[in-house]
Amino acid sequence: MNHLPLIIKREYLTKVKNKSFIVMTFLSPLIMIALIAVVVYLSQLNNDKQRTISVLDETGHLEGVFQNTENTTYTNLNDLDLEAAKALVKEREDYGLLHIAKVDSLEDISDNIKFYSEESPSLSIMSSLERKIEEQLKELKLRKDGVSIAMIESSETDIDIVQENFDGEKSSKEGNIIKLIFGGIAGYLLFMFIIIYGNMIMRSVIEEKTSRIIEVIISSVKPVQLMLGKIIGTSLAGITQFVIWVILGGVLMIVVSLILGINLSELQTPQQEMINQAMQSEGGQAFAQKVFIGLGNLPIVNLIIAFLFFFIGGYLLYSSLYAAIGAAVDNETDTQQFMLPILMPLILAVYVGVFTVIEDPHGTVSTVFSFIPLTSPVVMLMRIPFGVPLWQQGLSLLLLIGTFMFAVWFAAKIYRVGILMYGKKPTYKELFKWLKY
Amino acid sequence: MNDLLVADSVSKNFGNFKALNQVSIAVPKGSIFGLLGPNGAGKTTLIRIINQITMPDEGNVLLDGQPLKPEHIKDIGYLPEERGLYKSMKVGEQCLYLAQLKGLGKAEAKSRLKYWFEKLEIGDWWNKKIQELSKGQAQKIQFIVTVLHQPKLLIFDEPFSGFDPINANLIKDEILQLRDEGATVIFSTHRMESVEELCDHIALIHKSNKVLDGKLNDIKRQYKTNTFEVGLQSNNSDAVLTEIKNKFEVLPATFRNLNDDIKLNIKINENTSSNDLLTFLTSKAEVHHFVEVIPSANDIFIQTVKNN
């Protein structure tokens, strides 16, 4: 008798109706958004602070370099001597005093610049000052040597080698970055999913034991069906929660940014900065175009289908491992130690993906790891943007699903044997024999 | 075929431990079959084999003449000794779920549940969670779930544990009624008085071997010692006593009565009939009490286990 749909339904409904599940589903996005809003708000508070920086330039070479900005005002103290300037800055409670000492040659200026302040100045302000001075000195030096800015600009070249395979498919550096990002996102999602919901599956498998209903259930259904039903039902509950999180998070994000008037996209992350810089150096349009072309060059349909299959396959496989652990232990406290060994292959997969696949997407290491079931969901997904023959994808997927089925079967065996043990440790030989039942 | 369930030379090993050794039982249709034995004798293993939770190493089990197969699950209702329910699930939902696992349709399950809930007067529990019920209340639910799909074979492992005497009686009556309606019951317990009350047949398993089986009455006949409890009244009791002792084997008796002078267990040999004894006694004294001593299930259990 096939009870699978029934079991899936029960597992799903039990999880979804659970009070703490409901609370977490709706509370988590709130907490996350609140956290982000607070961080953004605080960082903006900091940025909004007005500061005055006094400049004492005894060389006169840096005139006009320090332009006032929204938050920073520069005052010129060139008429004063250093001691007087210091006293004044201290008295006015300026942010600090930038002192460029009088020297004879341009080359010596760089060694004689000091910044005096009450507290140690922030890193970003110092690097901004340094950049400004560097640029000015560089220009002055070039001019002294008889090179004009126009000459420099005209000599600047931008090389972007167009990569094309023999079938005429083009790709580019930007395309590779996109591929890397895509693979990274897939791996990261899988990682998160497993960490968040693996435990839930494990608990679900232990549930029958702690509530002592196991013998009633096991006399009605096959353990394999029970395992499969639990894994699928719990996974569906997880996906439900995740989708709600994404939607709710998105809506909340918009609402919060509207209410607080905070532009959340201003939250600067290193990646964004990199992109910004790239955009500045190449001109926004050209970059956007390249990204677009890069996206267009990806095998989109293949990717989406492969993503779905490998993501689900990978998730199910890791879930079944959690289920096997749940089947082997009697209570939840015994399970913590198993978490790391399970996550190890996944971490390895991400490393292989980031360090090897990008460098050599079709090399031996990449290829092998894209077939090993525990790492293939991440590695194969990272390889696919570089073009992987369909038979390889199919074979890898088949291996993945096969391993999943085996893991479920194995978990079911452990489960059944577990209830028959009378508190004595079986030998491996016996265990093997029991597996046959 | 008069036997619903036949286990033929079933053996089962757990590692080096032999849980069952060539055990054969035959459970007649419509009977209540007591499966008895000390703790760890192998009863639960046998029951699990019947429920296909585990497979025998040797031997086979026939249900209605057919070797056990997965479809038979719906023909068996099993109340394990180790039992429980999903704690956070509502009573009604849980019963429906478990009934459907046994192959019942949802509508059918619902109407039968309604019948049982009314019968056991627990209709208002439908939307309660199991964790809100007491242990005995949960046991009632468990009983309903076991019998709901009207299986041919019911297996109860210590069904009365956790019940107060009133509810135990209620469940006992239900079991008897199910038997009258045609179900066959295997009943495993350590409470010999309920064996006495309920069982038609018994089998006794001891140290993985079946040491005794058959109709309870036959077994009792087999174990009887032709002993009679006798209570007499006489003005000359010492003389009567001496006379009896000369003629028969006499043992002290412990039965309770009002004011008999002489209380004895008298054992007669096979050539003597109870009438002979009675005639002899009536000629000597006034007989107030004359009962054949029938060994109780408890006596048989202890005696058999000790002898093996």
Side-chain angles (χ1 to χ4, degrees):
Chain A
M1 268 175 290
N2 187 16
H3 298 307
L4 194 53
L6 201 63
I7 299 169
I8 292 174
K9 195 176 139 203
R10 191 200 87 86
E11 292 296 330
Y12 179 80
L13 288 179
T14 311
K15 296 285 168 313
V16 171
K17 282 182 184 170
N18 184 294
K19 279 203 189 79
S20 59
F21 182 88
I22 294 172
V23 169
M24 279 321 286
T25 303
F26 291 99
L27 210 58
S28 295
L30 278 174
I31 293 172
M32 274 303 282
I33 298 296
L35 209 67
I36 292 174
V38 167
V39 168
V40 172
Y41 185 66
L42 288 180
S43 69
Q44 277 184 345
L45 261 190
N46 209 27
N47 285 341
D48 285 348
K49 210 168 114 186
Q50 291 291 330
R51 57 179 90 81
T52 307
I53 295 173
S54 300
V55 182
L56 173 54
D57 175 18
E58 293 173 358
T59 64
H61 285 308
L62 296 172
E63 229 181 294
V65 170
F66 303 109
Q67 303 287 341
N68 288 350
T69 63
E70 223 177 294
N71 301 328
T72 315
T73 317
Y74 295 97
T75 52
N76 196 328
L77 299 180
N78 287 356
D79 330 341
L80 302 174
D81 66 28
L82 181 59
E83 289 313 314
K86 270 193 201 169
L88 183 64
V89 166
K90 209 170 175 181
E91 189 194 317
R92 290 200 307 204
E93 292 183 346
D94 282 357
Y95 190 74
L97 172 67
L98 181 69
H99 176 235
I100 300 114
K102 178 95 183 146
V103 287
D104 296 329
S105 67
L106 271 176
E107 280 71 24
D108 293 336
I109 290 179
S110 53
D111 296 331
N112 290 290
I113 304 174
K114 275 186 182 152
F115 190 86
Y116 301 96
S117 63
E118 194 75 37
E119 297 152 14
S120 57
S122 94
L123 211 61
S124 63
I125 284 171
M126 285 315 283
S127 62
S128 133
L129 287 176
E130 281 165 2
R131 206 163 50 239
K132 284 186 169 111
I133 298 168
E134 273 165 15
E135 265 171 37
Q136 174 72 1
L137 288 183
K138 188 171 144 197
E139 202 181 316
L140 287 176
K141 284 178 189 169
L142 285 169
R143 224 181 264 159
K144 201 181 96 185
D145 295 341
V147 183
S148 77
I149 301 295
M151 282 167 74
I152 297 169
E153 271 174 11
S154 73
S155 71
E156 252 172 27
T157 37
D158 183 20
I159 304 293
D160 188 15
I161 299 175
V162 176
Q163 304 164 24
E164 190 173 326
N165 70 10
F166 292 117
D167 297 332
E169 278 178 27
K170 287 180 185 170
S171 58
S172 63
K173 264 201 330 267
E174 287 75 17
N176 281 357
I177 292 174
I178 291 165
K179 288 169 188 175
L180 179 63
I181 290 172
F182 181 86
I185 288 174
Y188 185 68
L189 262 182
L190 191 59
F191 209 85
M192 266 183 40
F193 240 75
I194 291 168
I195 289 174
I196 299 174
Y197 299 113
N199 240 331
M200 208 156 99
I201 287 173
M202 201 157 64
R203 270 203 303 276
S204 156
V205 171
I206 302 173
E207 188 187 5
E208 272 80 13
K209 297 188 193 178
T210 51
S211 64
R212 293 155 60 98
I213 198 176
I214 182 166
E215 240 183 294
V216 175
I217 294 291
I218 213 110
S219 66
S220 308
V221 297
K222 286 189 185 144
V224 174
Q225 275 184 12
L226 187 67
M227 286 291 138
L228 208 56
K230 278 181 170 295
I231 291 170
I232 295 175
T234 312
S235 300
L236 287 176
I239 288 168
T240 308
Q241 189 177 54
F242 201 77
V243 168
I244 293 175
W245 277 352
V246 169
I247 294 171
L248 209 63
V251 171
L252 277 176
M253 196 85 134
I254 293 167
V255 170
V256 167
S257 60
L258 282 179
I259 292 174
L260 293 182
I262 296 169
N263 188 353
L264 289 174
S265 65
E266 266 178 21
L267 187 68
Q268 293 273 321
T269 60
Q271 292 93 324
Q272 268 176 315
E273 229 156 273
M274 261 167 60
I275 293 169
N276 284 348
Q277 275 177 10
M279 281 177 83
Q280 273 158 16
S281 65
E282 296 190 46
Q285 250 189 331
F287 182 76
Q289 213 173 2
K290 277 181 181 162
V291 169
F292 194 69
I293 292 169
L295 280 174
N297 283 339
L298 288 177
I300 293 286
V301 178
N302 184 348
L303 257 180
I304 291 173
I305 295 173
F307 174 76
L308 284 178
F309 277 109
F310 276 98
F311 185 80
I312 293 169
Y315 177 50
L316 288 179
L317 174 58
Y318 277 94
S319 304
S320 63
L321 294 184
Y322 273 99
I325 291 173
V329 300
D330 286 332
N331 56 60
E332 217 185 317
T333 43
D334 297 343
T335 60
Q336 291 308 319
Q337 51 185 326
F338 292 108
M339 304 296 270
L340 193 62
I342 282 200
L343 289 176
M344 285 300 263
L346 206 60
I347 296 168
L348 179 70
V350 173
Y351 274 118
V352 169
V354 171
F355 292 116
T356 314
V357 173
I358 300 310
E359 203 55 47
D360 186 9
H362 303 305
T364 318
V365 176
S366 307
T367 311
V368 167
F369 276 99
S370 67
F371 280 102
I372 297 173
L374 285 171
T375 55
S376 66
V378 173
V379 178
M380 188 53 105
L381 276 180
M382 285 179 131
R383 274 187 72 205
I384 285 175
F386 297 96
V388 176
L390 278 178
W391 70 265
Q392 280 195 16
Q393 297 182 29
L395 184 62
S396 171
L397 196 61
L398 227 64
L399 279 173
L400 185 62
I401 292 168
T403 314
F404 161 64
M405 294 310 288
F406 176 78
V408 172
W409 174 83
F410 188 69
K413 289 295 164 192
I414 294 176
Y415 199 65
R416 174 173 280 189
V417 168
I419 67 159
L420 299 173
M421 286 198 295
Y422 293 107
K424 62 192 183 70
K425 273 203 153 89
T427 66
Y428 284 108
K429 199 176 145 203
E430 286 159 26
L431 208 63
F432 180 73
K433 216 175 109 198
W434 292 2
L435 284 183
K436 288 189 288 191
Y437 300 139
Chain B
M1 288 296 292
N2 262 330
D3 294 331
L4 182 71
L5 182 98
V6 177
D8 183 24
S9 330
V10 171
S11 294
K12 176 80 187 173
N13 297 307
F14 292 116
N16 295 324
F17 174 70
K18 209 165 190 93
L20 286 175
N21 182 26
Q22 301 284 322
V23 171
S24 302
I25 58 167
V27 182
K29 262 185 196 145
S31 69
I32 296 183
F33 190 95
L35 191 59
L36 314 179
N39 297 325
K43 288 169 299 185
T44 306
T45 304
L46 182 60
I47 289 174
R48 281 176 175 165
I49 287 171
I50 297 170
N51 276 295
Q52 303 179 67
I53 292 173
T54 182
M55 303 283 184
D57 292 342
E58 286 168 45
N60 48 50
V61 181
L62 305 177
L63 186 77
D64 241 352
Q66 292 171 313
L68 275 183
K69 48 179 182 265
E71 290 79 61
H72 283 139
I73 281 173
K74 67 176 191 321
D75 296 327
I76 301 177
Y78 174 36
L79 182 68
E81 187 181 9
E82 174 97 356
R83 53 187 169 245
L85 294 160
Y86 291 114
K87 288 189 177 58
S88 57
M89 232 177 153
K90 285 181 181 159
V91 171
E93 279 172 20
Q94 177 141 241
C95 290
L96 277 180
Y97 173 66
L98 294 172
Q100 286 180 78
L101 284 185
K102 286 287 189 185
L104 272 187
K106 198 172 179 178
E108 176 70 24
K110 219 170 198 164
S111 72
R112 284 194 204 176
L113 276 172
K114 218 177 148 197
Y115 164 79
W116 274 104
F117 273 50
E118 270 167 27
K119 193 168 185 188
L120 297 186
E121 296 167 345
I122 55 173
D124 53 336
W125 292 2
W126 188 270
N127 278 320
K128 278 192 185 175
K129 283 185 179 174
I130 293 294
Q131 56 200 8
E132 298 167 33
L133 301 181
S134 76
K135 193 184 171 199
Q137 290 171 325
Q139 294 271 66
K140 266 190 183 178
I141 304 292
Q142 199 109 41
F143 178 80
I144 293 175
V145 166
T146 310
V147 303
L148 193 71
H149 57 292
Q150 298 177 346
K152 291 184 214 167
L153 179 63
L154 284 163
I155 302 174
F156 295 111
D157 200 345
E158 293 292 355
F160 304 121
S161 71
F163 279 122
D164 59 51
I166 295 170
N167 277 318
N169 237 1
L170 186 75
I171 296 300
K172 192 184 77 194
D173 291 343
E174 292 302 335
I175 292 175
L176 286 171
Q177 196 183 335
L178 285 164
R179 193 263 320 263
D180 295 341
E181 285 165 5
T184 306
V185 179
I186 293 179
F187 179 50
S188 172
T189 185
H190 292 301
R191 290 167 52 159
M192 288 304 144
E193 71 276 13
S194 41
V195 173
E196 206 84 61
E197 271 177 285
L198 291 172
C199 293
D200 315 317
H201 290 69
I202 61 163
L204 203 148
I205 295 176
H206 180 48
K207 287 186 180 160
S208 317
N209 290 287
K210 185 186 74 181
V211 290
L212 185 70
D213 82 338
K215 275 190 177 166
L216 189 56
N217 285 342
D218 292 349
I219 291 174
K220 287 193 168 188
R221 220 160 278 143
Q222 207 177 309
Y223 274 73
K224 76 172 184 181
T225 48
N226 288 329
T227 306
F228 293 84
E229 270 176 9
V230 174
L232 304 173
Q233 204 141 31
S234 165
N235 298 329
N236 192 9
S237 52
D238 285 343
V240 172
L241 195 58
T242 321
E243 221 168 320
I244 294 171
K245 276 184 178 165
N246 285 337
K247 208 163 162 56
F248 302 102
E249 191 184 339
V250 171
L251 302 160
T254 54
F255 63 90
R256 197 183 281 259
N257 69 347
L258 292 175
N259 49 8
D260 292 327
D261 296 337
I262 305 171
K263 281 189 267 178
L264 294 170
N265 271 338
I266 301 176
K267 196 171 175 180
I268 56 177
N269 56 31
E270 274 146 44
N271 303 326
T272 321
S273 77
S274 54
N275 272 353
D276 295 342
L277 175 61
L278 195 55
T279 315
F280 173 77
L281 290 173
T282 44
S283 67
K284 302 292 172 198
E286 200 176 328
V287 178
H288 281 229
H289 184 103
F290 186 84
V291 181
E292 181 170 11
V293 176
I294 302 167
S296 67
N298 205 32
D299 296 337
I300 294 170
F301 184 95
I302 292 170
Q303 199 183 331
T304 317
V305 169
K306 271 189 180 159
N307 288 347
N308 281 278

